[in-house]
Amino acid sequence: MKFRRTLLALAGAAAALAALPGAALAQGSYKPEYKMSLVLGTAFPWGKGGEIWANLVRERTQGRINIKLYPGVSLIQGDQTREFSALRQGVIDLAVGSTINWSPQVRELNLFSLPFLMPDYAAVDALTQGEVGKDLFARLEKAGVVPLAWGENGYREITNSKRPIRAPADLKGLKIRVVGSPLFADTFTALGANPTQMSWADAQPAFASGAVDGQENPMALFTAAKLQTVGQKFVTMWGYVADPLVFVVNKEVWESWSKEDQAIVRQAALDAGKQEIAIARKGLSEADKPLLKEIAALGVTVTHLSADERDAFVKATRPVYTKWKAQIGSALVDKAEKAIAARKM
Ligand code: X2X
């Protein structure tokens, strides 16, 4: 009898809970703190972008939305290619994430990793700020997250500990760390290198020990992470891919906020994204590229390619481009190619 009463009471409590609108994340029921995932911290343009976003949101909502930064993708133990799934599942509330790290789950994001698709910053902007950017945001929404703004990690230049790279033959046999989808492994295999997939957290000790010879990452990251101190003494400016960042919110969290706060968070992401892109390009978008002089002053050999030399890399990776164009979706890649051809310089 007693047991039955308990059961009935439990059933009643469950029914009452179910009747609550949206249970834990009802509209207007805010968490005391929201978790923002980032691969890189505030010493890097990426982390600064996240910090600017969090600060703008805190100020403009008078503290209603309080965001804490979790750099090093610590919410997922450093496993950056799981970030998108964790975001969707609600382990992460917000993120500023790279298209590379989310590309295993959202194959269209591989677009930016097609070798030599985007020749310059104007080409990157033609994609992210145009129709292609809108298509990709629609795709991300369909995947269950709320994308708000674009940022930038940057042009990923090849670095290594062994020798200057001027031709694909110079990459032969070099062990190169990559991350993201198998597109990167395909690209480096086509160039004769020996690609190895690992997280950023694992990569740095691997450079230091010499287990890995080289890597590719933006120059702002090179200096902030002091990659010259872990043997990366040779840089080649080849501009083969650039990874944008996306400012994004978990869908349930987004829907729990008032319309007014949603508008504030969106505008703050747009403002932070714009500032972050300027920070990411600092020292590289100017004609004399002062950041490269700084890097050379650290004892690093910075190699610039002639048009013909660069073309050899383009040719060697063309089969990879063709293969992945089909996997990403030919219509989307066609649209991107047209937007780049029509870009304003
Ligand atoms: O791991 C990398 O190379 C980094 C930091 O650039 C990304 O997260 C894509």
Side-chain angles (χ1 to χ4, degrees):
M1 198 58 199
K2 187 145 183 276
F3 179 59
R4 192 159 174 265
R5 261 211 310 276
T6 311
L7 263 188
L8 275 175
L10 273 177
L17 262 182
L20 281 174
L25 283 182
Q27 243 238 335
S29 98
Y30 286 31
K31 299 195 215 178
E33 186 176 281
Y34 294 92
K35 295 180 165 71
M36 181 193 289
S37 177
L38 304 154
V39 177
L40 302 173
T42 52
F44 300 79
W46 187 333
K48 281 206 189 85
E51 185 180 48
I52 295 168
W53 188 22
N55 287 343
L56 288 176
V57 168
R58 192 174 301 111
E59 282 161 27
R60 294 176 185 175
T61 63
Q62 276 94 42
R64 279 191 302 281
I65 297 177
N66 177 34
I67 300 167
K68 186 171 173 203
L69 273 50
Y70 288 84
V73 265
S74 58
L75 296 167
I76 42 170
Q77 294 75 46
D79 193 353
Q80 64 206 69
T81 52
R82 274 181 38 221
E83 188 178 55
F84 191 78
S85 308
L87 186 56
R88 208 159 30 185
Q89 288 156 7
V91 175
I92 291 169
D93 297 318
L94 310 92
V96 179
S98 164
T99 49
I100 292 176
N101 295 330
W102 299 355
S103 63
Q105 291 81 32
V106 186
R107 67 184 163 85
E108 289 86 349
L109 293 180
N110 282 296
L111 175 70
F112 300 100
S113 306
L114 279 176
F116 303 101
L117 167 68
M118 301 177 292
D120 47 38
Y121 285 130
V124 178
D125 295 341
L127 300 189
T128 57
Q129 309 305 316
E131 284 303 312
V132 169
K134 289 200 188 104
D135 287 359
L136 290 170
F137 272 16
R139 177 70 189 84
L140 285 171
E141 253 166 52
K142 237 174 105 192
V145 300
V146 183
L148 299 176
W150 293 97
E152 186 163 290
N153 192 19
Y155 271 100
R156 302 178 71 89
E157 314 297 354
I158 182 85
T159 80
N160 82 97
S161 59
K162 299 282 192 227
R163 52 184 174 259
I165 294 170
R166 300 209 80 97
D170 298 324
L171 269 162
K172 196 166 175 54
L174 289 188
K175 195 159 179 189
I176 305 292
R177 174 268 175 177
V178 293
V179 71
S181 77
L183 165 48
F184 285 91
D186 286 355
T187 298
F188 283 92
T189 302
L191 290 168
N194 176 12
T196 177
Q197 156 93 19
M198 69 179 73
S199 72
W200 179 242
D202 291 339
Q204 293 166 90
F207 304 141
S209 73
V212 163
D213 303 314
Q215 62 93 47
E216 39 77 72
N217 250 308
M219 289 296 96
L221 189 156
F222 185 97
T223 49
K226 300 186 173 59
L227 291 187
Q228 78 282 359
T229 66
V230 286
Q232 298 298 295
K233 294 290 192 190
F234 301 95
V235 170
T236 295
M237 299 300 292
W238 66 343
Y240 86 126
V241 305
D243 53 329
L245 301 176
V246 182
F247 289 64
V248 74
V249 181
N250 163 277
K251 193 161 189 272
E252 224 186 312
V253 167
W254 178 257
E255 285 169 359
S256 72
W257 289 336
S258 69
K259 287 275 170 286
E260 183 204 0
D261 284 340
Q262 287 177 353
I264 290 174
V265 174
R266 181 187 298 278
Q267 190 57 49
L270 290 166
D271 295 348
K274 209 168 160 194
Q275 289 186 47
E276 192 277 334
I277 290 173
I279 298 169
R281 294 182 185 182
K282 197 164 172 288
L284 292 170
S285 54
E286 303 86 342
D288 60 339
K289 297 187 168 55
L291 183 60
L292 298 186
K293 295 204 180 87
E294 275 174 43
I295 291 174
L298 300 169
V300 174
T301 303
V302 181
T303 300
H304 297 271
L305 302 177
S306 69
D308 282 352
E309 283 171 334
R310 189 170 183 276
D311 209 40
F313 290 95
V314 177
K315 285 209 175 77
T317 52
R318 209 57 203 176
V320 179
Y321 186 107
T322 306
K323 171 184 165 188
W324 278 86
K325 179 172 179 172
Q327 299 210 16
I328 292 162
S330 291
L332 179 66
V333 180
D334 280 341
K335 203 174 192 177
E337 288 168 351
K338 285 202 185 88
I340 291 169
R343 75 192 180 282
K344 288 194 197 71
M345 297 291 280

